[in-house]
């Protein structure tokens, strides 16, 4: 949980104590143990949650399953306004059918047919990892990107044209043929103002180097 940025853990009728050994094993996750909430029933533990995901590795009657990645996408949408719980059953038996009836949806981690069961600690990490990765991807797509203005891009192309003519890369009779190819490549990239500055910096340095080389020859 700590590795993937989660902090709120509930335990239902735990068969072990949160003792010194638990804190030693937790390493950097001690704060999670300090804030654990313990309940006597599952129903009580999820009472404040608006949407509940249960986890299982076995085929269950009358239930369809969602994959961890689909679950993660749904959680990120719901978590903006609602409290979500993810339930993991005991190591030996998992969640019972009655317990899964308390869940809105059931999640299963795909495995090979001859090894369906996954250790609970691994299951928790996989589920948390899927949510963590999906959250990162969402943040990337939600970032506001300001594209370069037409003026910034045209000034950049003027800079490129001048420099590429200086080194003989462009045909002075019709420089736009090859320069047009650069335009199409960079247009597909959707350049920002910072991108334009970077490219112009490269060509500025190249132009300086050309000028310096010519001076040495003289």
């Amino acid at each position: 949980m700590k590795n993937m940025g989660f902090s709120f853990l509930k335990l239902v009728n735990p068969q072990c104590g949160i003792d010194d050994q638990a804190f030693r094993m937790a390493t950097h996750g001690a704060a999670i143990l300090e804030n654990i909430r313990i309940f006597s029933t599952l129903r009580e533990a999820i009472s404040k949650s608006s949407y509940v995901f249960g986890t299982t590795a076995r085929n269950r009657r009358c239930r369809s399953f969602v994959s961890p990645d689909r679950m993660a996408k749904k959680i990120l949408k719901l978590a903006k306004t609602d409290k979500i719980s993810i339930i993991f059953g005991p190591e030996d038996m998992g969640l019972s059918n009655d317990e899964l009836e308390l869940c809105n949806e059931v999640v299963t981690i795909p495995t090979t047919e001859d090894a369906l069961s996954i250790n609970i600690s691994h299951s928790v990490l996989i589920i948390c990892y899927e949510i963590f990765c999906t959250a990162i991807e969402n943040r990337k797509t939600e970032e506001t990107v300001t594209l370069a203005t037409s003026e910034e891009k045209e000034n950049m192309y003027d800079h490129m044209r001048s420099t590429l003519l200086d080194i003989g890369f462009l045909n002075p009779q019709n420089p736009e043929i090859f320069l047009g190819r650069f335009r199409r490549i960079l247009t597909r990239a959707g350049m920002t103002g910072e991108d334009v500055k970077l490219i112009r910096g490269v060509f500025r340095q190249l132009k300086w180097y050309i000028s310096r080389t010519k001076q040495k020859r003289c």
Side-chain angles (χ1 to χ4, degrees):
M1 288 176 63
K2 182 69 173 179
N3 292 140
M4 298 298 121
F6 292 85
S7 58
F8 192 37
L9 176 63
K10 299 178 181 181
L11 296 180
V12 178
N13 192 25
Q15 302 302 299
C16 60
I18 311 303
D19 53 17
D20 290 342
Q21 182 182 6
F23 277 92
R24 285 196 300 271
M25 295 293 290
T27 314
H28 300 296
I32 297 176
L33 296 185
E34 289 170 355
N35 293 298
I36 277 179
R37 295 185 62 189
I38 296 178
F39 298 85
S40 57
T41 67
L42 178 57
R43 184 170 176 172
E44 183 185 5
I46 62 174
S47 62
K48 302 301 182 182
S49 297
S50 302
Y51 208 90
V52 178
F53 289 90
T55 59
T56 184
R58 294 176 288 164
N59 292 327
R60 303 298 183 125
R61 64 176 186 267
C62 303
R63 294 305 299 258
S64 57
F65 304 109
V66 294
S67 60
D69 61 322
R70 287 184 60 191
M71 172 213 65
K73 291 182 177 70
K74 190 160 190 175
I75 283 177
L76 289 184
K77 291 180 180 178
L78 293 170
K80 294 176 181 178
T81 54
D82 300 296
K83 184 175 289 186
I84 314 300
S85 287
I86 305 170
I87 306 173
F88 297 88
E91 182 79 66
D92 54 351
M93 297 294 294
L95 294 173
S96 68
N97 286 322
D98 288 341
E99 288 169 333
L100 286 174
E101 289 299 320
L102 298 174
C103 305
N104 296 91
E105 292 191 75
V106 179
V107 187
T108 186
I109 299 170
T111 60
T112 59
E113 289 296 325
D114 58 345
L116 295 176
S117 181
I118 301 177
N119 180 283
I120 188 171
S121 62
H122 298 170
S123 299
V124 172
L125 180 60
I126 291 170
I127 294 295
C128 291
Y129 172 78
E130 287 287 350
I131 301 169
F132 179 72
C133 289
T134 302
I136 291 175
E137 288 302 313
N138 273 20
R139 282 199 294 270
K140 288 179 180 178
T141 57
E142 289 174 359
E143 288 177 356
T144 301
V145 176
T146 304
L147 298 179
T149 64
S150 177
E151 181 181 21
E152 289 174 325
K153 288 184 285 187
E154 289 308 314
N155 288 339
M156 179 194 71
Y157 290 128
D158 289 342
H159 198 164
M160 291 174 64
R161 183 188 299 104
S162 173
T163 307
L164 294 174
L165 283 169
D166 283 348
I167 64 175
F169 184 82
L170 297 180
N171 181 350
Q173 303 302 317
N174 197 349
E176 299 306 317
I177 293 179
F178 280 100
L179 193 61
R181 294 183 181 178
F182 282 115
R183 282 179 178 272
R184 287 189 288 274
I185 292 170
L186 296 175
T187 297
R188 287 197 297 270
M191 291 182 295
T192 65
E194 291 301 314
D195 296 333
V196 168
K197 289 179 183 178
L198 175 63
I199 294 172
R200 293 197 68 176
V202 172
F203 278 87
R204 189 179 298 111
Q205 188 69 14
L206 180 57
K207 206 168 184 66
W208 171 83
Y209 183 79
I210 295 167
S211 175
R212 184 183 176 195
T213 303
K214 286 181 179 179
Q215 290 174 3
K216 285 185 177 180
R217 288 177 179 175
C218 294

